[in-house]
């Protein structure tokens, strides 16, 4: 929490989205997202004031890329 408060004012919306996307990619390295990981991602979205539906957008994008 405190670390995010230090960096959040310096991050643009796009930077925050890219950061969250990268965290999702790392969380998926074992092939699945656990409920705990999803909970953490929702918390990170909240810290950066990004709607949690962004997580689904990233997951759909990744699934689409894998299918291509």
């Amino acid at each position: 929490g405190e670390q995010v408060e230090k960096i959040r004012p310096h991050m643009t919306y796009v930077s925050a989205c890219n950061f969250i996307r990268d965290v999702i990619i790392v969380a998926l390295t074992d092939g699945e997202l656990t409920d705990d990981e999803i909970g953490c991602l929702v918390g990170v979205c909240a810290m950066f004031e990004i709607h949690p539906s962004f997580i689904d957008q990233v997951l759909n994008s990744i699934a689409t890329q894998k299918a291509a």
Side-chain angles (χ1 to χ4, degrees), residues 1 4 22 30 34 36-37 40 63-65:
V4 172
D22 291 347
D30 63 357
T34 64
D36 285 345
E37 288 169 332
C40 288
T64 302
Q65 288 173 4

Side-chain angles (χ1 to χ4, degrees), residues 14-66:
V14 171
S15 295
C17 287
N18 287 338
F19 171 74
I20 292 167
R21 185 199 65 216
D22 291 347
V23 171
I24 292 169
I25 290 168
V26 170
L28 281 171
T29 54
D30 63 357
E32 66 175 345
L33 278 182
T34 64
D35 288 344
D36 285 345
E37 288 169 332
I38 292 169
C40 288
L41 288 166
V42 170
V44 172
C45 285
M47 284 188 262
F48 287 108
E49 298 177 359
I50 294 170
H51 196 278
S53 65
F54 179 70
I55 298 166
D56 290 329
Q57 291 173 18
V58 172
L59 293 173
N60 289 336
S61 171
I62 291 169
T64 302
Q65 288 173 4
K66 283 186 179 176

